[in-house]
Amino acid sequence: MKIIDGKNLRNEILAKVKNEVAMLPFQPIFCDVLVGNDPASLQYVQMKAKTAERVVFIFIMHFSRQP
């Protein structure tokens, strides 16, 4: 049985993505739409925003309070 270090694997993948993004002639954009005001959903979107910024994506979030 092999134990996988999830954090280490995540860091390796994100480093590879960041290097590949650096070679692009443009900066990718990641857009997310949050519908409603569920705190757990907001936290999830914020986690995605941090990851997008870590790999040098532009992150755009749109809020819609009407479900």
Side-chain angles (χ1 to χ4, degrees):
M1 180 154 110
K2 182 177 180 182
I3 297 175
I4 298 173
D5 182 350
K7 287 183 182 181
N8 204 18
L9 182 59
R10 175 202 63 199
N11 291 338
E12 289 174 13
I13 292 169
L14 291 178
K16 182 178 179 183
V17 170
K18 185 175 181 176
N19 288 335
E20 291 177 5
V21 168
M23 293 187 288
L24 294 173
F26 59 90
Q27 189 174 9
I29 300 172
F30 182 86
C31 300
D32 209 337
V33 177
L34 179 62
V35 178
N37 57 0
D38 179 35
S41 295
L42 178 58
Q43 184 178 16
Y44 180 60
V45 170
Q46 290 170 337
M47 289 169 41
K48 290 190 285 184
K50 285 183 183 180
T51 303
E53 291 170 4
R54 185 171 173 184
V55 294
V56 195
F57 278 40
I58 297 169
F59 184 82
I60 299 172
M61 181 174 18
H62 177 74
F63 291 97
S64 175
R65 298 293 177 200
Q66 299 288 330

